[in-house]
Amino acid sequence: MNFSAIRRVVGWILLFEAIFFLVPLITAVIYWEEEFFVFLFCIALCGSLGALFLSKKLTNNAIYAKEGIVITALCWIVLSLFGALPLYLSGTGVYGSYVDALFEIVSGFTTTGATIVPTGAQIAALPKSILMWRSFSHWIGGMGVLVFMIAFLPLSGARNMHIMKAESPGPTVGKLVPKVRTTAKILYVIYTGMTAIQIIMLLCGGMSFFESVNTAFATAGTGGFSVKADGLAGYSSYLQIVVTVFMLLFSINFNSYYMLGKRRWKEVLTAEVKVFLLVVFATIAAVTLNVYLTGTIPSFGRALKHSAFSVSSVISTTGFATENFALWPMFSQILLLLIMFIGACAGSTGGGIKVSRVVVLGKSASNEIGKMLHPKRVKHVTMDGHVIDSDVVRSIFAYFVVYIAVFILSLLIISFDLNNLNYAGVENTKFLTGFSSVAATLNNIGPGLGAVGPAGSFADYSWWSKLVFIFDMLAGRLEVFPMLLLFAPSTWRKG
């Protein structure tokens, strides 16, 4: 294990976090908020520690697969531990403990969007600099802080790929161009450009600049933190439609946008993108008919609008809400719960298992059934005309097994806490609340069902349940294995 290289990257992460704090610091200056001093302190702390880590001589700059995994997990943990300080030190009274503040900022960085703030009114009353930091954390975490760092720093040449693979979502990670650093730059140019376009479109709809920036940050990172008491429910239909469209756009593999710019049309609509869009439109149709025909939303136009928004929000793992879908018919709730697990495309800012994995799992299962009928038949799993390597298929199955194990263990641990929750208006939903709480955090969704629906929060959970959810959010964002490998003794052995 190359501890020298790990220490150096962690030092850079602390320096970058100090730079990130400038955004809420400037917001505090604009709105004359005393949180200015809190962010100033955090900048000084992160800057000093980062400089200290970097001052020590680098004895070996080699970063291999093991170092890449450890660096990714540790950097996200360090980023969160220091990122929670402004929330805890702000004195708002909302974050009563450091665990609460840590839960909120981990939810931000992992683009989950789950909150421990009990009511929307309390969210809207937070200082604007704190609101900006919450939303900006989504944008930072959406594409990946280490990918951002790779775009600006030549850390270790070609070995940057080990870091990028550990942080980027999806079963496989490829380079758009030969150099990893150039690939990272291209991804952030696309990411920043799409964010800027959304801000402009929101401004055109009459949204204030502050709200436009926050909403765009939260949409781009598919996070879902809102700055208003009623989320996005109070905005115009135009603004809700803009957010609906961009939630889906940020859920598509960013490689498709690069190929679109290169006019390589066949590589734009990949099999994964086609399946993703099929699932989205089919679910929207089913939910729309369900809420309309049951009279939950008596207007077909409103039923279509709110269904499209909710489906896009859930499958993109953004977590915005215009309606409390926890009160919709059970058929619609179950559909939304199912697409929580599917999630977005690989290579996007969305969470979930990822559509590509679901497609490969489905094709593998189909092949096994075929082999039972025709034992001598040899058929490979393919996508877009390419044979999927057996190692990739094996890793997807391993990921799925570990994912289920983490899900079950998390559900068992937090089950002791379910009697303590506030189920006002959503009685007899203890299991649904617990199940969807784990699904919402492990899949980086945000709101779940029952007591943790769009109108609820995770505030009533105990501190130890919140720690489980913190682990789940980090594990979900980093594709499970980097977090688990931190607990393996062999990870820390030299050699």
Side-chain angles (χ1 to χ4, degrees):
M1 180 65 69
N2 186 353
F3 293 103
S4 179
I6 293 172
R7 184 191 67 243
R8 187 170 183 81
V9 177
V10 170
W12 277 116
I13 279 293
L14 287 169
L15 286 184
F16 271 90
E17 185 156 30
I19 295 170
F20 294 148
F21 280 137
L22 289 174
V23 173
L25 177 76
I26 293 170
T27 306
V29 171
I30 293 172
Y31 291 97
W32 291 85
E33 294 175 343
E34 61 184 19
E35 279 70 25
F36 166 83
F37 298 102
V38 173
F39 285 106
L40 191 63
F41 167 76
C42 292
I43 289 172
L45 179 63
C46 290
S48 300
L49 288 175
L52 179 64
F53 280 23
L54 290 172
S55 65
K56 295 185 178 181
K57 186 178 179 181
L58 179 65
T59 57
N60 180 8
N61 70 345
I63 295 176
Y64 298 97
K66 183 165 69 171
E67 283 83 5
I69 292 171
V70 171
I71 283 171
T72 300
L74 285 181
C75 283
W76 277 77
I77 292 171
V78 169
L79 188 75
S80 301
L81 291 173
F82 286 91
L85 288 177
L87 304 183
Y88 180 60
L89 299 175
S90 63
T92 60
V94 173
Y95 305 104
S97 68
Y98 180 73
V99 172
D100 284 349
L102 184 61
F103 178 98
E104 194 85 354
I105 204 62
V106 168
S107 179
F109 282 130
T110 59
T111 72
T112 303
T115 182
I116 57 90
V117 184
T119 66
Q122 287 174 291
I123 291 174
L126 289 171
K128 284 187 166 51
S129 56
I130 296 297
L131 290 172
M132 180 61 77
W133 179 231
R134 289 167 82 243
S135 299
F136 189 48
S137 66
H138 281 331
W139 195 86
I140 295 168
M143 188 58 67
V145 63
L146 289 168
V147 174
F148 182 86
M149 194 168 66
I150 288 170
F152 292 94
L153 297 174
L155 295 177
S156 59
R159 300 196 189 280
N160 281 334
M161 196 62 192
H162 293 303
I163 297 176
M164 195 166 179
K165 282 182 177 179
E167 186 179 50
S168 299
T172 59
V173 178
K175 294 182 287 185
L176 297 175
V177 293
K179 291 185 178 180
V180 177
R181 190 181 178 193
T182 306
T183 296
K185 286 181 178 179
I186 291 170
L187 290 173
Y188 259 96
V189 167
I190 297 171
Y191 187 49
T192 305
M194 290 174 65
T195 306
I197 292 170
Q198 187 185 358
I199 291 173
I200 293 170
M201 294 186 70
L202 293 175
L203 288 170
C204 291
M207 190 180 282
S208 71
F209 182 75
F210 176 79
E211 291 173 2
S212 297
V213 171
N214 277 268
T215 303
F217 280 163
T219 307
T222 60
F225 278 151
S226 180
V227 298
K228 297 193 75 175
D230 59 354
L232 298 187
Y235 290 116
S236 67
S237 294
Y238 165 80
L239 292 173
Q240 292 174 357
I241 291 170
V242 168
V243 174
T244 301
V245 171
F246 274 91
M247 284 191 293
L248 291 177
L249 290 176
F250 282 108
S251 304
I252 293 173
N253 194 319
F254 276 63
N255 290 5
S256 293
Y257 299 124
Y258 177 75
M259 297 306 171
L260 184 64
K262 291 289 185 179
R263 298 182 181 181
R264 292 157 63 174
W265 311 115
K266 291 184 179 180
E267 298 176 66
V268 174
L269 279 177
T270 61
E272 181 184 31
V273 173
K274 290 176 183 176
V275 171
F276 173 74
L277 294 176
L278 177 63
V279 171
V280 168
F281 292 129
T283 309
I284 289 174
V287 173
T288 299
L289 289 173
N290 184 234
V291 297
Y292 174 66
L293 295 176
T294 58
T296 305
I297 303 178
S299 165
F300 183 80
R302 288 187 66 249
L304 177 60
K305 183 185 72 171
H306 291 301
S307 297
F309 188 97
S310 297
V311 169
S312 300
S313 179
V314 170
I315 199 166
S316 68
T317 71
T318 304
F320 279 137
T322 55
E323 284 274 313
N324 185 4
F325 51 73
L327 301 179
W328 284 2
M330 190 54 64
F331 174 78
S332 293
Q333 291 190 48
I334 295 300
L335 274 180
L336 293 175
L337 188 62
L338 289 174
I339 63 174
M340 279 185 189
F341 288 94
I342 296 174
C345 297
S348 71
T349 60
I353 294 174
K354 302 295 181 302
V355 176
S356 57
R357 284 198 180 97
V358 174
V359 171
V360 171
L361 286 169
K363 288 189 173 185
S364 298
S366 176
N367 281 358
E368 289 302 314
I369 293 172
K371 285 181 180 179
M372 293 176 68
L373 298 174
H374 307 283
K376 295 183 178 180
R377 187 180 70 171
V378 177
K379 190 176 181 180
H380 299 286
V381 177
T382 62
M383 280 187 71
D384 300 312
H386 301 289
V387 175
I388 304 296
D389 191 271
S390 59
D391 287 339
V392 174
V393 176
R394 190 192 71 250
S395 70
I396 289 174
F397 274 98
Y399 169 86
F400 189 69
V401 170
V402 174
Y403 172 93
I404 295 298
V406 171
F407 189 99
I408 293 172
L409 182 60
S410 299
L411 184 58
L412 286 172
I413 295 173
I414 64 102
S415 66
F416 295 103
D417 218 9
L418 293 178
N419 289 324
N420 302 322
L421 304 188
N422 178 14
Y423 296 93
V426 283
E427 288 82 5
N428 303 317
T429 57
K430 290 182 181 179
F431 176 77
L432 187 60
T433 294
F435 189 89
S436 66
S437 294
V438 177
T441 50
L442 188 57
N443 293 314
N444 304 130
I445 304 289
L449 299 171
V452 294
S457 76
F458 287 72
D460 292 333
Y461 276 108
S462 65
W463 64 267
W464 44 269
S465 287
K466 290 171 185 172
L467 288 177
V468 171
F469 293 136
I470 287 169
F471 176 85
D472 286 347
M473 288 187 284
L474 287 168
R477 175 59 183 83
L478 300 179
E479 308 275 274
V480 182
F481 289 111
M483 290 299 296
L484 291 180
L485 288 175
L486 289 181
F487 299 95
S490 59
T491 301
W492 303 100
R493 292 174 190 155
K494 292 184 178 182

